[in-house]
Amino acid sequence: MKKTIGILAHVDAGKTTLSEQLLYITGKVKNPGNVNNGTSNLDTNEIEKERGITIFADQAEFEYKGDTYYLIDTPGHIDFSPEVERSLMALDYGILVINGGEGVQSHTSTLFRLLESYNIPFFIFINKADMPAFNIERILDDIKIKLTENIVLIESIDDLGETAAENDIDFLDKFISGNFEIEDIEKSMSNLISKKVIYPVCYGTALKSESIKKFFDIFHRLTFTYFNENTDFKGIVYKVRNRDTRLTFIKCLEGCLRVKDELCFNEKEKINEIRFYNGEKFENRKIAYEGDIFAVTGLKTPVCGDIIEKNNNNIVNKKSILKSALEAGVIIKDGTDINTVMKYFKIVESEEPSLSMHFNSETEEIVIYVMGKIQLEVLEQEIKNRFNIEIGFKNPKVQYRETILKPVIGYGHYEPMRHYAEVKFRLEPNERGKGITYESRCDKERLPLHWHKLIEKHIFEKTHRGILTGSPITDINIVLIDGKDHLKHTEPGDFREATYRAVRQGLEKADNILLEPYYSFEIYTSSDYIGRIMSDIQKKRGRFEPPVQKGNVVFIKGRGPVEEFMDYSGEILSLTKGTGNINMFLDGYEYCDENIQERVIKDIGYNKGADKDNPSSSVFAAKGTSFVAEWYECEQYMKTYSEE
């Protein structure tokens, strides 16, 4: 049986120490590595060794009692959550590590939510049980308050008969009659854990081998996997790395993949190597089977989240849940040409898609999306180490979005000499959080079907920017109403230009409004501080539900703008003298009020006319020459124009 497991935790909970012990007790390494002295087998990057933290998710393979395990050790700092999320795509089970001295910390809740969102069954391991102040009952209460009440403490599988009977009707009859074996308990509990009816909890000390042996034996006996081997290859890409070559890391979900196999995307791409990695070392094999995780060379097209199949060139992408709410401009310190810097950032972006790099043509600077300041520090160091370029970053700012309030018609025409394309869109407001959607209501006889599909591709291939601040647009349904081609002169790129211009021309005429990002938050504190915290929330333009008392803890749930709450975690710690915490999750966008919108527009100072990458004008031809018509005058020249 093959099982891919991931170790997840808030920073300093002992996650990597647990991973190292698993490698040691299964005989994979002679001695467990140590994070603090830079000898970890899974923290192999120079920056990880210097900082003593996990930044990149690395994997190892080991055997235990006849089963093959693939272990993925993930970062613990919240700034590197996207790296954790990508790893979840490959997991069969998770192990959520909780610091026995601290209990459920803020990032623990984020990880819990991610595991839930990806429907991954997991064990909770409470570490540092040897600490003098360790109190298992206190930690269990903390888990029930902040994560889930459906937990069961496991110290011995023999003692789980009653728990299984309470939750499994098929096992109940056996339990009542006394006609059951230990294997029946294992089977029942395995199914309950797999279906996430219950969450098993164990505790111990990651530094002690015997403690981890006891835990992992329980984990081994209560987990199982099943893969379909009698089918064509199907896999999910969960990581991309560019080192000596482009490495595409894949979890094989079905079938098998061989060296020299070809996968068809826009064109055929051949598997040159199949590598099984253990930390930075790897072993070449000729074939990978269902349940394996491995890296291949030779693929250029697939990106993180893509589900790929051997005989199907339609890639499905599993979209990420976590989104960044901040952006930062890049400062080039050593005078390196900006195009060179952009080339290297594109390489990094292929590995870390959440960076979502773009070039601001107005300010002539590179802008990236980030989770937080620690991520910027690491990225600065990584660019220096990998590409020998010295960069810095401006202070992170909130990412805004723009949308429209009412439907509007947008036109785009592109007709330089020997080119021709015209597009007519209806831009309609979408419900909040739905993003950009597309549909065609254009007559197929009016415009051939292949142009419809190309126009759709052009809608989603770029980030369309609004006219208020140059921020990305969102929550708009773009409807193709009409279009026109030329039998001799239309090239595919012509519809790209017409599409871009039609969206922008519609925005010029629309009732545009600015959106700001919001966090949903959960605050845990003692009653001593609840009055001050509620006052803070109101001052920060937030709103909250009535506080709820859970044991000795007061729980407040609410929402507030990122701009106001982005640094509030530090204020909470200071106010409560380290006893309170806040968990914050990006929770969509809301309308800015007029005063805030006015201030933000002024602060950003976006000049829509200077944005050459997003023109709202159209290009027409007359009397043997081409001319440009501005957005407010172009409709008189359109072939598809009609009053709406």
Side-chain angles (χ1 to χ4, degrees):
M1 192 179 296
K2 297 173 183 175
K3 305 173 188 176
T4 300
I5 61 175
I7 316 294
L8 305 91
H10 186 102
V11 66
D12 291 332
K15 168 185 54 59
T16 300
T17 303
L18 173 59
S19 299
E20 293 291 335
Q21 281 291 349
L22 287 175
L23 298 181
Y24 174 63
I25 66 173
T26 58
K28 188 66 181 181
V29 298
K30 292 183 178 180
N31 295 293
N34 186 283
V35 177
N36 295 325
N37 61 26
T39 60
S40 169
N41 293 281
L42 295 174
D43 289 341
T44 58
N45 184 276
E46 292 179 30
I47 307 174
E48 292 178 314
K49 292 178 180 179
E50 289 176 19
R51 288 178 172 259
I53 60 172
T54 301
I55 297 170
F56 306 102
D58 272 324
Q59 61 277 334
E61 178 185 354
F62 61 82
E63 303 292 322
Y64 186 77
K65 294 188 176 182
D67 284 357
T68 298
Y69 282 88
Y70 294 104
L71 169 68
I72 301 180
D73 181 34
T74 65
H77 197 285
I78 192 169
D79 281 15
F80 308 110
S81 298
E83 183 85 357
V84 179
E85 183 177 2
R86 288 192 296 277
S87 300
L88 296 185
M89 298 176 184
L91 298 190
D92 300 313
Y93 287 88
I95 298 174
L96 181 61
V97 183
I98 291 178
N99 187 328
E102 300 290 340
V104 177
Q105 296 165 281
S106 58
H107 190 41
T108 315
S109 298
T110 303
L111 296 170
F112 177 85
R113 287 172 177 266
L114 278 175
L115 288 162
E116 289 285 274
S117 297
Y118 278 84
N119 199 30
I120 296 171
F122 59 93
F123 283 59
I124 297 173
F125 180 75
I126 304 171
N127 188 27
K128 304 184 181 182
D130 56 342
M131 297 180 67
F134 179 79
N135 184 317
I136 185 60
E137 295 301 327
R138 180 181 64 82
I139 301 296
L140 293 177
D141 286 343
D142 203 33
I143 294 171
K144 290 177 182 178
I145 290 172
K146 298 178 182 177
L147 301 182
T148 175
E149 294 185 352
N150 300 325
I151 60 174
V152 56
L153 180 64
I154 301 178
E155 297 185 78
S156 169
I157 293 178
D158 294 0
D159 300 331
L160 293 175
E162 187 173 336
T163 299
E166 290 173 351
N167 294 278
D168 182 356
I169 193 169
D170 292 332
F171 179 73
L172 179 60
D173 291 338
K174 293 182 179 180
F175 183 74
I176 293 174
S177 66
N179 185 26
F180 64 92
E181 304 292 337
I182 187 66
E183 289 79 12
D184 295 314
I185 297 177
E186 289 181 2
K187 181 179 178 181
S188 175
M189 289 297 296
S190 295
N191 284 324
L192 291 170
I193 293 168
S194 176
K195 294 176 182 177
K196 299 170 66 184
V197 176
I198 60 174
Y199 298 86
V201 179
C202 300
Y203 65 91
T205 305
L207 285 170
K208 296 181 179 179
S209 300
E210 289 303 316
S211 181
I212 300 308
K213 283 181 182 178
K214 178 183 176 182
F215 161 65
F216 200 64
D217 187 63
I218 293 172
F219 181 92
H220 173 76
R221 292 166 63 186
L222 297 183
T223 55
F224 68 93
T225 56
Y226 171 78
F227 296 98
N228 188 355
E229 60 185 49
N230 299 314
T231 186
D232 290 329
F233 166 77
K234 181 179 181 180
I236 185 166
V237 176
Y238 70 93
K239 182 168 66 173
V240 172
R241 289 288 182 265
N242 297 280
R243 297 299 183 260
D244 56 323
T245 184
R246 187 184 197 267
L247 296 170
T248 306
F249 286 79
I250 300 171
K251 165 73 173 286
C252 183
L253 304 174
E254 297 178 6
C256 64
L257 188 67
R258 293 177 171 85
V259 172
K260 303 305 180 186
D261 276 354
E262 291 184 335
L263 300 179
C264 187
F265 305 110
N266 291 328
E267 56 186 34
K268 290 183 178 180
E269 298 177 13
K270 184 182 292 186
I271 305 298
N272 295 329
E273 291 180 279
I274 296 177
R275 300 180 179 182
F276 284 73
Y277 271 84
N278 283 282
E280 60 184 351
K281 299 178 181 178
F282 66 88
E283 172 191 347
N284 282 100
R285 299 180 194 172
K286 295 293 184 182
I287 187 169
Y289 295 94
E290 67 286 340
D292 287 334
I293 66 169
F294 51 92
V296 301
T297 64
L299 297 185
K300 301 176 181 178
T301 300
V303 296
C304 294
D306 281 352
I307 298 174
I308 55 178
E309 301 182 55
K310 188 172 183 180
N311 294 310
N312 184 358
N313 62 355
N314 292 321
I315 296 178
V316 176
N317 186 270
K318 197 167 187 177
K319 298 296 184 183
S320 298
I321 296 169
L322 292 176
K323 305 293 183 184
S324 60
L326 305 175
E327 64 180 29
V330 178
I331 302 169
I332 304 173
K333 295 181 177 180
D334 61 4
T336 302
D337 177 71
I338 194 168
N339 292 317
T340 301
V341 177
M342 284 182 63
K343 180 181 74 173
Y344 291 134
F345 261 100
K346 281 291 184 184
I347 294 173
V348 176
E349 183 189 32
S350 71
E351 302 170 354
E352 177 51 277
S354 66
L355 290 176
S356 192
M357 182 206 82
H358 68 274
F359 178 70
N360 187 322
S361 59
E362 183 185 3
T363 61
E364 296 189 336
E365 71 175 359
I366 301 168
V367 178
I368 62 169
Y369 295 161
V370 293
M371 301 297 290
K373 295 180 180 179
I374 300 298
Q375 185 184 16
L376 291 178
E377 293 175 11
V378 169
L379 190 56
E380 182 177 331
Q381 203 170 348
E382 184 183 5
I383 296 295
K384 173 64 176 177
N385 291 353
R386 288 179 63 178
F387 308 117
N388 197 29
I389 296 174
E390 292 191 12
I391 62 165
F393 294 97
K394 296 181 178 180
N395 287 330
K397 300 184 297 184
V398 169
Q399 291 180 35
Y400 293 93
R401 296 287 185 269
E402 296 184 32
T403 193
I404 60 175
L405 293 176
K406 299 176 183 177
V408 67
I409 301 298
Y411 292 88
H413 188 96
Y414 187 68
E415 193 184 359
M417 298 305 294
R418 290 182 291 278
H419 292 271
Y420 190 97
E422 184 168 302
V423 171
K424 177 182 178 182
F425 288 136
R426 178 181 171 88
L427 308 184
E428 303 172 339
N430 259 341
E431 62 185 73
R432 191 65 56 246
K434 196 169 184 179
I436 301 296
T437 56
Y438 169 83
E439 61 180 296
S440 174
R441 299 176 194 159
C442 177
D443 191 329
K444 306 300 187 295
E445 295 184 2
R446 171 79 171 171
L447 185 69
L449 182 60
H450 62 279
W451 296 130
H452 292 237
K453 294 181 178 179
L454 187 63
I455 290 168
E456 180 177 10
K457 175 186 175 184
H458 294 325
I459 288 293
F460 293 107
E461 71 186 0
K462 73 167 286 186
T463 299
H464 301 274
R465 302 197 170 272
I467 64 171
L468 300 177
T469 62
S471 300
I473 61 171
T474 190
D475 299 343
I476 298 176
N477 185 36
I478 301 176
V479 183
L480 177 64
I481 295 177
D482 202 355
K484 188 171 177 58
D485 65 346
H486 190 282
L487 186 61
K488 293 183 179 180
H489 296 319
T490 300
E491 301 287 341
D494 300 343
F495 272 103
R496 174 184 293 111
E497 287 290 336
T499 296
Y500 293 174
R501 293 166 189 269
V503 171
R504 186 76 167 188
Q505 201 259 356
L507 294 176
E508 292 277 12
K509 301 184 293 181
D511 291 329
N512 296 278
I513 193 164
L514 197 65
L515 303 174
E516 65 175 325
Y518 267 63
Y519 284 133
S520 64
F521 57 77
E522 299 169 350
I523 299 174
Y524 299 89
T525 183
S526 71
S527 57
D528 297 341
Y529 307 104
I530 192 65
R532 165 66 186 277
I533 288 174
M534 289 192 294
S535 176
D536 284 349
I537 294 171
Q538 292 172 328
K539 289 177 182 177
K540 293 177 180 293
R541 298 190 286 122
R543 53 187 183 270
F544 56 89
E545 299 174 6
V548 176
Q549 186 91 22
K550 292 186 176 183
N552 297 322
V553 176
V554 179
F555 167 71
I556 308 174
K557 187 175 182 180
R559 291 181 86 242
V562 170
E563 182 182 43
E564 303 284 356
F565 282 85
M566 58 191 294
D567 296 320
Y568 194 48
S569 57
E571 295 179 41
I572 288 280
L573 287 173
S574 176
L575 169 65
T576 63
K577 299 178 176 60
T579 61
N581 65 50
I582 179 171
N583 309 322
M584 295 186 290
F585 318 93
L586 186 62
D587 189 31
Y589 282 74
E590 300 290 345
Y591 292 135
C592 286
D593 66 37
E594 290 185 8
N595 292 332
I596 293 172
Q597 175 167 307
E598 185 177 342
R599 171 179 59 79
V600 172
I601 290 174
K602 182 179 179 181
D603 289 346
I604 292 177
Y606 175 65
N607 182 353
K608 63 181 181 180
D611 189 348
K612 303 305 180 185
D613 293 332
N614 296 280
S616 56
S617 59
S618 282
V619 181
F620 296 90
K623 299 180 180 180
T625 187
S626 297
F627 66 95
V628 175
E630 296 301 327
W631 68 267
Y632 51 82
E633 60 184 3
C634 66
E635 290 174 17
Q636 61 184 299
Y637 304 110
M638 294 289 173
K639 301 298 188 291
T640 60
Y641 179 70
S642 62
E643 295 294 337
E644 293 294 326

